[in-house]
Amino acid sequence: MDKYRVKPGTRVRLKDCDPDDTDGYKKGDGISKKIEKTELAVNQLQELLYAEHKHGLLIVLQAMDTAGKDGTISHVFDTMNPQGVRVASFKAPTPEELSHDFLWRIHEQTPSKGEVVIFNRSHYEDVLVVRVHNLVPKAVWKRRYAIINNFERALADEGTTILKFFLHISQDEQKKRLQERLDDPTKHWKFNPSDLAERKLWPDYMQAYEDSISATSTPWAPWYIVPSNKKWYRNLVVASTLEKSLKALNMHYPEPVDDLSKVVIE
Ligand code: AMP
Ligand code: MG
């Protein structure tokens, strides 16, 4: 799964990243068992993160519409203990949020020790949608890469593990998924006509994603470009990456306050 990690300093070209890639795995092939096993392992590691109370975990999900941010959240994080997990969704900023620096609303939502927080969209919108729609001058969004790297560095130094996932789908796959939303009355609520306007800006978004990911994949906050045309494979990649990163924290259950071997329960 490490092959999806963007090495710091490399120039990303999304055209070279196949959204259909499944690394030779096929659906069937006992893949649901493998995903289940991975998710169970993640669940146990999350329990340990909560108990140890030393690290926070921040997961950033960015993607084009329909690429599966919601689906990833419900599948991969379903198995976690809700006591230690929170989702923060970032919409277009309110007037109050806009009157502050772009990280103001973000910092507030970052995980405390022991906590897992999933960002459904994030501060990256401030170099993506904001750039594509010219909401601020180029000089402003350009310098945000460095601001973001410094911010994430500070979080990491203070004990937050950061993993950033770009869920990569093709434009054809998006067409299919938007059509499914139109065809299924239970999905109409998810259909937003403005998604069609954004879809027209696909090349601009790809350019913005390439530049952002290239500039901000760092040793302390790496990006993963997750092939996401196949939902099961997307879930497998995200779950496996979580498992590996949590394992690497080498966590331990805290020592009991007293010598428990002497405790007698009357
Ligand atoms: P959704 O995630 O589909 O509910 O849509 C949220 C919308 O908020 C998307 O269209 C985002 O592009 C938009 N959004 C999120 N953050 C920002 C931001 N910082 N500036 C402008 N628009 C944003
Ligand atoms: Mg949407």
Side-chain angles (χ1 to χ4, degrees), residues 9 32 45 57 68 81-82 88 91 94 105 111 166 175-177 199 217 223 239 260:
S32 350
L45 286 159
L57 176 61
N81 180 348
K91 310 278 181 193
T94 63
R105 64 174 185 163
F166 171 59
K175 184 175 182 185
K176 213 178 94 201
R177 293 185 187 186
R199 177 176 163 74
S217 196
W223 273 105
L260 296 187

Side-chain angles (χ1 to χ4, degrees), residues 65 69 90-93 105 120-122 125-126 129-130 135 205:
D65 290 308
K69 295 188 297 293
F90 295 97
K91 310 278 181 193
R105 64 174 185 163
N120 182 349
R121 304 187 189 270
S122 65
E125 292 294 329
D126 293 284
V129 64
V130 162
L135 301 180
Y205 272 105

Side-chain angles (χ1 to χ4, degrees), residues 114-254:
E115 196 181 28
V116 177
V117 174
I118 303 138
F119 277 4
N120 182 349
R121 304 187 189 270
S122 65
H123 43 305
Y124 284 94
E125 292 294 329
D126 293 284
V127 288
L128 294 164
V129 64
V130 162
R131 165 179 173 177
V132 169
H133 287 278
N134 292 310
L135 301 180
V136 299
K138 182 172 182 182
V140 172
W141 61 254
K142 268 216 124 158
R143 66 174 182 238
R144 287 183 175 167
Y145 298 144
I147 297 174
I148 288 173
N149 286 341
N150 287 332
F151 169 65
E152 291 177 348
R153 179 69 200 245
L155 294 179
D157 284 350
E158 291 285 318
T160 302
T161 295
I162 306 169
L163 300 171
K164 302 180 293 198
F165 297 102
F166 171 59
L167 309 179
H168 183 36
I169 57 167
S170 61
Q171 208 176 355
D172 280 349
E173 181 65 22
Q174 191 196 48
K175 184 175 182 185
K176 213 178 94 201
R177 293 185 187 186
L178 285 171
Q179 190 61 51
E180 280 166 13
R181 286 185 181 180
L182 280 180
D183 295 344
D184 178 352
T186 70
K187 287 189 179 168
H188 283 176
W189 67 276
K190 279 195 152 193
F191 189 86
N192 187 341
S194 78
D195 292 350
L196 299 181
E198 296 311 294
R199 177 176 163 74
K200 288 210 177 98
L201 297 168
W202 190 277
D204 296 358
Y205 272 105
M206 291 306 111
Q207 183 69 57
Y209 267 108
E210 285 184 351
D211 290 348
S212 311
I213 294 172
S214 304
T216 61
S217 196
T218 53
W220 57 88
W223 273 105
Y224 293 83
I225 298 176
V226 182
S228 298
N229 276 3
K230 307 274 187 297
K231 295 175 184 173
W232 58 270
Y233 189 65
R234 171 201 76 200
N235 293 340
L236 179 66
V237 172
V238 173
S240 307
T241 307
L242 283 175
E243 183 188 5
K244 194 167 171 232
S245 309
L246 285 169
K247 268 195 183 141
L249 291 177
N250 194 20
M251 299 179 283
H252 300 283
Y253 283 102

Side-chain angles (χ1 to χ4, degrees), residues 10-48:
T10 50
R11 175 86 212 138
V12 171
R13 287 185 42 212
L14 288 171
K15 279 212 171 65
D16 299 339
C17 305
D18 179 8
D20 274 310
D21 181 24
T22 58
D23 200 24
Y25 287 106
K26 290 195 185 63
K27 208 174 173 178
D29 274 13
I31 206 76
S32 350
K33 277 255 147 26
K34 192 176 159 69
I35 297 177
E36 232 171 80
K37 232 180 104 206
T38 311
E39 288 177 356
L40 193 69
V42 170
N43 165 273
Q44 285 163 355
L45 286 159
Q46 182 240 331
E47 186 89 17
L48 186 52

